[in-house]
Amino acid sequence: MARRRATSIWTATAVATTVAVGGAVIAAPPAAAATIERVTVSQAGYSASGHKVGSVITDGALPGSTSCRILQGQTVVVPSCSLLDRGTTWGDRVYVVDFSTLTTVADDYALEVGGVLSPRFSVTENVWAGYLDEMTAFYRLQRSGVATSDAYPAGYSSIAPSDKIFHGPGHLDDAASADGTVHYDLTGGWYDAGDYGTYGGNQWVGGNIAITYLRYGDNAAVAFDNDDNGVPDLVDEARFGSEYLLRMLAAFDGAFWDVKGSGGFQHPDAHTDGIVGTGDDRRISGYGVGGSAKAAGSLAATARAVEKAIADGRVPAADLGEWQAFAAEAEAGAVAFYEYVDAHRNDPIGGYSTTRGGIANSLLFAEVQLHLLTGDTAYRTSAEATIAATEYSILSNTNYWDMGPLSMAELYPVATAGGKTNIQRYLKKQLDYILSTTDDTPYGVVNQFKNFGVNEPHVSYVADAMRYYELFGDQRALKAVQRGLYWVFGNNPWGTSWVSGVGENSVKYLHTRLDEEAQSQTGTGVILPGALVSGPNAKDPLDVRSASPWYQDRPVWQDSGQQWRYNEYSVSIQTGLFSALFGLTAIGDAAWSAGTPPTTLTVTSPQIGDQVTGDVTVFAQSGSSLTQHALGPDWTPMTAAGGVSTGTLNVDALAPFTTARIDVRGTQASGAQSYSSTHYTVAPPLPSPDSPLLYDGFGRDGVFGMQGYTWVNWYNNHAGVGSAVNTTVDGRTVARLFQNPASAMSQAKFQPWHHSVDASGYRYLTVTMRTPSPNLRLRIEVSDADSNHRVTGNTPIAVSGEWTTYSFDLAQFAGLDRSQAKLVFWLQQTADTDGELLVDEVSFTNQAAGTAPTLSAISHTSGSLTTGTDVTVQATYTDADGEAPHAVELVLDGVIHRMTAVDPSDTDVTDGAVYAVTRRWVKGVHTYDVRTTDTTSSVVTSPAVTGVVVG
């Protein structure tokens, strides 16, 4: 789905303006007509008494006469509504519509603005209660070791799963020891995601399910029993997860191991034969005590939930003894896991585990739940000591990376007086962060995008805000919870509901191996009820030059390597949504409108999507009530002057196309802090002989290599097999491409997934490689969207047995678009013998030639400048060889802006050609220079111009 889609056009009056720069007159283009791209709402619907908000995404300012109304079916029920202009966000003009006064319960509503309709939505008494069975259905459908039809009775949830995800019991042969000689009974548990792995670091999620019942189980809507076994489904699911933990305990006496293994896009019962002792049994790996600590907390929470269900009369009398015995076993298991971790605190913590606070953070979860279960104050004392020693800091995820917020909220009601003070202080700081970072945009989302979707940290913060509201009654937190959920259900720039099956525009192409048609171009995706996918990234993982943030509901066959970054779901991603929906159901029509919002803090530069280089100046603005501005992550004090605070960071050490987040904070007189965030992308070097573009150095470096993937053997022509691994040879990090042919005709195809690279401005593909296989022959192809070229020639080439650097001239291929180059290496042996190619480095390069260009007559708009001034910078580019520039760029405070020719028809640069760029500068004191390259000589940079004041 493209971000921009024309749906209705409003024509504004076009007015041309002129700007004088250094005596020249440069005409500014007239204003374009504004386009309403889409109108977005929560496709899950709204509660009658709840906050209600939608968005209008446009590419410009709308006329004041733009219509706004709400329809039910075709009937107008709200004839007018107000458009609140929230300015430009992520390249779009955004208007917010608050229609909280619409309280009539009905279906088939739509928000219509300028003739453009939103998706349909409903208003119900409590909209969240309608999605609870999807929350437990999700976990049932992730169960390992059982048939889907057994875990998910027919009609279990109001949103049905796709028929094609139903399967038989999978991985009944889990698991073998690392060397394959011993079998352990590790059947069961939940598959973490669509890849069928089970991980120690995620073993807190069963505890979260149990805690949800403990918190809200007195509400009949929460204590549902859709499988009709007489026990609330939340308790059933918590027990299912705990049974896996007890098997792990029986096998390893407190140690915890991962069980990995993904296989192809096929059902789990087809991955292995299910027979213990055969060669396909999955093996344990990834030992860590973090999983053990989380298992202790989950077992204790589950024992508590079972005891509550028994006390509430929600366990059949005939089954009481068996459930009581299970609760006792869970309690004993919790203690055993805890004692193991306590005795092995210096052991590896394991994957998907807490990274801040070490094992003490994971143990905090266990200690709190064990205290609540047993009443033993020693657990509470230890937990409160950990909390007292924990300084607040911002984390990108709040679930399995940090068990603190959940554990503190759980402990608070029974904490000591001192413990309560420390807990509330910590959680209040976190709420300040949540509230102030979600006001960065009109959508109520935490502003922290990266290379894995934002929804996981976002919904984790939403759940934390929900728990804060329950403890302290801060209505601002409750409003933030609602706004945050509207984001995931469709009130976002893409108009996409990222919760499977919810809404008319919900995500279809989930990254799951349950979808056996995922790699077929005729596949239609799947519905896994309630599954929340990870959502928008900082960038398109297949296009480093894409807009930020980015999202597309793209099927696997279009993106088999990276789709998991944005359409992945998992048992841990789900937990924030799970907790919040049950919490909102339980509180009903609680008030949400009181409270003062945090003081706004705005980062004006750089903006998300900006490419930067060298020293980058961060500009932040806020009202006078905020002082002590500081730049994260180490909270370095910023310099304040004239209502603007600035700080500087240097990006020289970061790889090209790295995207990173900047956090800024300011402090109120009360000590409360406001935060704002932005992002930047490190620009690639301008192409020149001394600035090659490293594509892959096979040591997690280079444009592709930094993603951490090996190349893949996609295909073997005329039979045979191939493999690709990254390894170390002769002290070099290399790719080892191996072919076992069936005959001399066999060809093995190797590729860096489907990745393409912008190599424009570079003439040569340069590869450093050798082969120990004298029969090996190599063909390298470079393709774009329309053409394919054999850069090694029509005949495969022999490769030296010594390390040799080869350069292939891409200029020979006039039809090749180097801005979207894709690489393919083909191996072929001259005889039926194995062959391997060792590749040390793949780069794009240039060779020196001619003379360097010059830049002169650098100037900018003169006079008094304000944020409303169109500031033009111009420069004259001259090249004695007549070579046109690859680019002329303004580097303003470290942010790159492309300059264009003032007279495009003047192509003779031997006597100079004027380049310019016009834009509005943010408030503050600025520094700039201009740089350029002709690609065959070194980059030329003008002297810096400093002290340019914009008021």
Side-chain angles (χ1 to χ4, degrees), residues 783-804:
S783 64
D784 57 24
D786 304 309
S787 60
N788 186 66
H789 307 275
R790 297 183 175 185
V791 300
T792 48
N794 291 326
T795 302
I797 65 171
V799 177
S800 173
E802 305 296 327
W803 288 111
T804 305

Side-chain angles (χ1 to χ4, degrees), residues 392 398 405 426-434 461 464:
Y392 177 74
T398 65
Y426 185 99
L427 296 182
K428 173 62 166 56
K429 287 180 178 290
Q430 187 186 48
L431 181 69
D432 289 342
Y433 175 73
I434 293 170
Y461 283 127
D464 290 338

Side-chain angles (χ1 to χ4, degrees), residues 693-716:
L693 181 65
L694 177 63
Y695 183 68
D696 202 343
F698 305 102
R700 298 185 70 93
D701 51 350
V703 175
F704 176 76
M706 66 184 292
Q707 301 179 49
Y709 289 104
T710 60
W711 291 35
V712 291
N713 171 224
W714 281 131
Y715 173 66
N716 293 283

Side-chain angles (χ1 to χ4, degrees), residues 817-833:
D817 179 1
R818 282 174 250 173
S819 71
Q820 46 182 327
K822 290 186 177 181
L823 306 182
V824 178
F825 283 31
W826 287 92
L827 300 192
Q828 185 172 6
Q829 312 304 314
T830 59
D832 183 9
T833 58

Side-chain angles (χ1 to χ4, degrees), residues 470-632:
E470 293 164 359
L471 289 175
F472 307 115
D474 191 326
Q475 294 183 27
R476 301 176 305 163
L478 182 54
K479 184 177 180 180
V481 170
Q482 295 176 82
R483 293 178 69 228
L485 291 180
Y486 299 156
W487 160 269
V488 299
F489 284 112
N491 187 38
N492 54 64
W494 303 271
T496 298
S497 168
W498 288 301
V499 184
S500 181
V502 179
E504 62 185 74
N505 295 332
S506 64
V507 58
K508 297 178 177 63
Y509 298 107
L510 283 70
H511 184 81
T512 175
R513 298 170 196 276
L514 293 173
D515 183 3
E516 296 186 315
E517 299 176 350
Q519 293 175 310
S520 168
Q521 295 190 26
T522 61
T524 57
V526 294
I527 293 176
L528 183 68
L532 172 66
V533 301
S534 51
N537 287 353
K539 294 279 187 179
D540 180 350
L542 296 183
D543 180 7
V544 293
R545 295 188 183 275
S546 62
S548 294
W550 170 90
Y551 176 77
Q552 185 178 347
D553 188 14
R554 190 161 61 195
V556 168
W557 66 264
Q558 286 186 348
D559 180 11
S560 57
Q562 303 286 335
Q563 195 216 27
W564 65 273
R565 294 186 182 273
Y566 48 90
N567 271 0
E568 182 81 293
Y569 62 83
S570 78
V571 293
S572 60
I573 293 174
Q574 196 74 15
T575 53
L577 180 67
F578 188 99
S579 298
L581 294 192
F582 279 95
L584 286 170
T585 297
I587 66 169
D589 58 358
W592 50 267
S593 60
T596 303
T599 302
T600 300
L601 173 62
T602 304
V603 177
T604 54
S605 181
Q607 291 291 292
I608 188 169
D610 282 347
Q611 290 202 340
V612 302
T613 187
D615 290 327
V616 182
T617 302
V618 180
F619 292 79
Q621 295 181 204
S622 62
S624 59
S625 61
L626 283 181
T627 60
Q628 301 175 42
H629 292 85
L631 192 63

Side-chain angles (χ1 to χ4, degrees), residues 19-22 859-863 865 869-873 948:
V19 180
V21 182
S859 65
H860 65 271
T861 301
S862 60
L865 305 178
T869 303
D870 288 327
V871 180
T872 298
V873 173
V948 183

